[in-house]
């Protein structure tokens, strides 16, 4: 008789334990996909930064981007239509894991700024997607999976001794690149 009374209680306790395990597994999967997206965004950001900072051997052969104001650059990177595959200037990278399993994808845009400051300034924006992410080809909106956004501003001071072909004196050594980095909390919108 007591066993018959305890059976529903034990069944309810087991059901709650299974439900808790399922919720925990879903939370863990969400954290994993978010981490994959952050890693992909960071990887894409670093790749674009390296391309921006790479010395160009023949400046005449390199395409010179049209410098933009900070507001113009934001209007471009802050619009989801700029992040669709095939858009000019968008670079795409993939991150593979063991067995060539896709762990994430990254996209990045780099834009030269013309804000009156001496030297060079670029804004580099990256979007990271988890390995299971699906994005609408028409709108660029994330349909499934996780995404993360990162951005940096790169600055290179002007050469203190322009035109000098001799080995630079200590006062003529140009500074390297400086970098300001941030995570973008609000993703670009479809309305911009």
């Amino acid at each position: 008789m007591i066993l018959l009374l305890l059976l529903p209680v034990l069944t309810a306790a087991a059901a709650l334990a299974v439900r808790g395990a399922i919720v925990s597994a879903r939370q863990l999967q969400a954290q994993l996909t978010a981490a994959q997206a952050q890693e992909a965004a960071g990887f894409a950001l670093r790749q674009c930064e390296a391309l921006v900072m790479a010395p160009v051997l023949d400046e005449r052969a390199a395409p010179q981007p049209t410098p933009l104001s900070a507001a113009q650059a934001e209007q471009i990177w802050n619009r989801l239509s700029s992040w669709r595959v095939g858009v000019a200037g968008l670079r795409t990278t993939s991150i593979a894991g063991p067995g060539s399993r896709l762990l994430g994808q990254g996209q990045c845009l780099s834009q030269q700024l013309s804000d009156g400051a001496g030297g060079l300034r670029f804004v580099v924006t990256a979007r990271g997607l988890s390995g299971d992410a699906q994005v609408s080809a028409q709108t660029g909106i994330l349909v499934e999976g996780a995404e993360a956004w990162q951005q940096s501003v790169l600055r290179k001071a002007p050469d203190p001794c322009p035109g000098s072909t001799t080995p630079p004196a200590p006062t003529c050594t140009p500074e390297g690149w400086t970098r300001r980095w941030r995570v973008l909390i609000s993703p670009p919108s479809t309305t911009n």
Side-chain angles (χ1 to χ4, degrees):
M1 182 69 153
I2 295 177
L3 188 59
L4 290 176
L5 292 174
L6 288 178
L7 189 60
V9 173
L10 292 174
T11 303
L16 285 174
V18 168
R19 182 175 165 226
I22 290 171
V23 168
S24 293
R26 286 183 182 160
Q27 288 174 340
L28 184 62
Q29 182 63 31
Q31 289 175 347
L32 177 65
T33 58
Q36 286 175 341
Q38 276 298 348
E39 288 293 322
F43 184 71
L45 186 73
R46 289 308 219 166
Q47 277 197 325
C48 263
E49 288 175 346
L51 290 171
V52 166
M53 294 185 289
V56 178
L57 297 177
D58 185 0
E59 300 252 345
R60 296 165 297 186
Q64 298 299 317
T66 303
L68 305 169
S69 70
Q72 290 171 321
E74 183 172 356
Q75 286 177 353
I76 293 171
W77 68 255
N78 202 18
R79 192 175 46 225
L80 272 177
S81 60
S82 299
W83 296 92
R84 290 188 303 222
V85 174
V87 171
L90 183 67
R91 293 182 175 92
T92 304
T93 63
S94 294
I95 302 171
S100 300
R101 195 184 78 149
L102 182 65
L103 295 180
Q105 292 180 303
Q107 299 173 313
C108 65
L109 287 172
S110 59
Q111 300 157 302
Q112 185 173 354
L113 299 178
S114 65
D115 55 6
L120 293 173
R121 278 183 24 135
F122 288 85
V123 62
V124 180
T125 310
R127 176 189 198 183
L129 301 168
S130 62
D132 63 345
Q134 294 179 6
V135 178
S136 168
Q138 289 79 28
T139 62
I141 294 175
L142 180 71
V143 178
E144 188 176 317
E147 70 180 350
W149 295 85
Q150 296 183 14
Q151 188 175 68
S152 65
V153 175
L154 302 173
R155 181 177 183 277
K156 185 172 185 177
D159 187 352
C161 302
S164 175
T165 57
T166 61
T171 57
C172 287
T173 304
E175 293 181 29
W177 290 88
T178 58
R179 175 181 189 252
R180 250 188 21 223
W181 172 87
R182 68 181 180 154
V183 172
L184 297 174
I185 304 299
S186 299
S189 69
T190 57
T191 59
N192 293 346

